[in-house]
Every structure is written in structure tokens, then in C-alpha cells.
Amino acid sequence: MKNKLLLPALGVWLTTLVAAYYIGSFQTDSEVSSNDTIALDSSSSDQSHFGRHTTEDYLTNSTSRITSRKSLRGASAGTTPTGSIKGISQLSDPLERSRQILSLIDSMNPEDFALVVADFRALGMTRQRMSDYNMLLHAWGKVDPLAAIKFAQSKAKSEYAIKEVLASWATNNPNAALAWARENHDSDKANPYLVGIIRGLANANSTLATQVLQELPYSEERGEALRSLAPYIALLGIDEAQQWLNEIEDPKLVSGASAYLANQFSKQDPTIAAEWVSRIADDEARARALGEVVDHWTDQDPSAAKAWIATLPHQDQIKAGPDFVSAYAKQDAHAAADWLDANSNASNYQDLLRKFSEGATRSDPVLALNYGNELNDESSRSRTVGRALWTLYKQDRAEAENWIQNNDVPERVQRHVNKMMDKK
């Protein structure tokens, strides 16, 4: 009987994996290396199960094992499986493509992965292929994480791919994954491999994930790890999330975590999120969390957000105002301008002015220009006016030329105006 990846309940795991890809993940485009792709948390097996094969063996396998296998199982009615990753990747229907990739994975032995993944990468890593690639990557990490990591080091040449394999590995065997991550990092900087560990543990073991998180110093890596963990902590509810925060000693980590949690709570219910944020004692943490609540609530209901801000203590109003007027201006620049005018005596009026102009640049570039041109700081004025003027110029050249003729254009912007006009 053929070895089905040596995995129990593989069908259930694969079905869950596909569903997760189409529901979405917590990763962002900025996290994706140019040499690699987006990946998803999954699970993996202990490396000791697969000690009889070396990575070099995997990297030199021929295609004969795969091409000689029986037709792929599990394809939908009326569709003939291609039997190759190249053929599967050419399918236009994403659901059918995923079904056949899962069937291909189910038909593979551990030693087949290196060749299949290499063939897949040779096709070119387009956005459409990212989730397909990561199904292969995570399935490989599940059966032989060391081989998958070796491949990522030699072929993908990206820490991102390694972190994703570690995320898969850490779900079932966090001790082994952690040992590898620590032993293979020899820099004084934050250990990027721990990010993968935390990503894999975020749902399965948030307690251990938090312990590992606190090993990371203040860094981009810690922010990335926190971004993966926070959604799962938020699912615990306000009270448990607050208890989780209370157990963290690093003030900067508390501040960052508060912002990420506020972001998640605001998506669930901005009213509850607002009440929670108002109780945060640390000023920096509260300020960051306020910004997250303001952004989400203004997007959903600017009138309710405006009313809430008016109830805040004066210092919190000062902190929340810039984020509010920026988000409001994106939706309704004229209404936001009315609010800005009503707050013209605020001690942070210049901040409000700048954020309004930035927010209104696309929704109403003329308003953005008129208000942005009132900024006292010449650098901010030039940057804000220049951006809004270029936006207006692309929308309505005549209107942009009219504004230039009738207004005092910042000197730094004026230098580029003639060139802009000549080129267009």
C-alpha cells in the first residue's frame, strides 16, 4: 500500500488548508520577499520520522517516479487530471486547480517534493500561483521540514520560505522547530526564524507563541510576529486579551500589541473597542490604540466616530483628531473640512491641517491644495501641495493650471511646475 505522506487524516488537513487559503491570511504584500511567496500556517511532523533521506537525495530525483504513478485521484467529474504540476498550474479555475494539486500531493512520496516544487518554481511565481506554491511548500514541510528548509536555502534563497516551513513544523513539534531556529541563527539581530515559529503556534498554542515573542527585541521581526499572533488573541475576547497584555513586561511590546488588538477589536465592534481603549493606562499604548479605533470607526460610521471623539478627555482628543480628519476626508472632504474649521483653535491645528490635506488629496485635490497651502512648515507644505497638485493635474490639467496661477505655490514645488507642464 502506497505511503500517503505518512500522515493521519490527510484529507481533512488538506481540505482545511484549501479553505484557509480562500478565506485569506493575515499576511500582507509587504511581507513577501522578491525571491519567494506568501504562505499559510499549517502543521508538520517530527523530523525524526524522515531521517532515512538526505536533502541532496531529494534535489537529484528524476521524474520517473512521478510520471509513472497512476492518474491523480479526487479530480472532479468531467476533468482529466494532467499528472504534472505544469499542467495543473495551467488550469484557469482556481478551485479545480487546488483540487488537483491536493490530489497530486496525496499521490507523492516525501522524496518527490523537491522535484515537483522545483518544477513549479520554474514556471514563474505569479500572484495567481502563490497559494498553489505554498500548498506544496507546507505539505513538504509537514513530511520533511529539514529537506524543505534546505531547498528554501538553496533555491528560494529567502528567509520567508524558511519561516513558512517552520510555521508548519512548529504546529506539531514546536520543540524541534524551536531548536532548529535557535541553532541556525548566529546574528545579534532579531531571529527571523522565530517569526515562523510564532506564526505556526499562534492558533495552536498562543501561550508558547507569546513566550517566544518575548524573546524578540524591538524590531521589524517582532512586529511581523505580533501581527500574526494578535488576531488569535483578539478572538479570546476583551477580558482575556487584557489579561494577556497584563502579563507582558516590555512597554514597547505592550504598546504595539495594544494597537494590533485595537485594530482587531474595531473590526468586530468599534463601540466595544472604543470602551476598551479608553481604559488603557499607558499613554503611548492608548494613543496607538486610539488611532486604530478611529480609522475603523470612521470608515464604518464617521458620525458615530465624531461623537465619540467629542466625549474623550482633551489629551485623547488631541491624539485622535489627526487620524479622524484624515479618514473622514477620504470619505467626505467637505464635511471633514467643516469639522476642521470648527477646530481651527486646537493646539494641534497644524497636524489636523496636514492630515486633512493628505486624506483629501484623492477625494478632493482642490480642497487639499487650499488647506495644505496653509501649513506653516515649508517642508510639509511643499510635500502636501506637490502631491495634491500632481493628483489634480492628472484629473484636470486646466484646473491645476488655474490653481497655480492664482495661488502662492511653494518654492520647492514651483521648480517642478514648468517641467511638469512642458512634459505634459
Side-chain angles (χ1 to χ4, degrees), residues 47 174-184 197:
Q47 59 177 321
N175 291 334
L178 272 168
W180 187 96
R182 289 167 177 154
E183 290 169 4
N184 288 272
I197 303 294

Side-chain angles (χ1 to χ4, degrees), residues 181-233:
R182 289 167 177 154
E183 290 169 4
N184 288 272
H185 177 71
D186 57 5
S187 169
D188 292 335
K189 298 180 180 179
N191 187 340
Y193 301 140
L194 295 183
V195 177
I197 303 294
I198 293 164
R199 187 174 295 162
L201 292 174
N203 185 36
N205 190 338
S206 60
T207 299
L208 181 55
T210 303
Q211 293 173 5
V212 178
L213 175 68
Q214 293 182 87
E215 292 183 27
L216 290 168
Y218 180 75
S219 57
E220 290 184 7
E221 287 79 8
R222 189 167 76 175
E224 182 183 346
L226 186 55
R227 187 162 51 248
S228 297
L229 180 57
Y232 295 101
I233 300 300

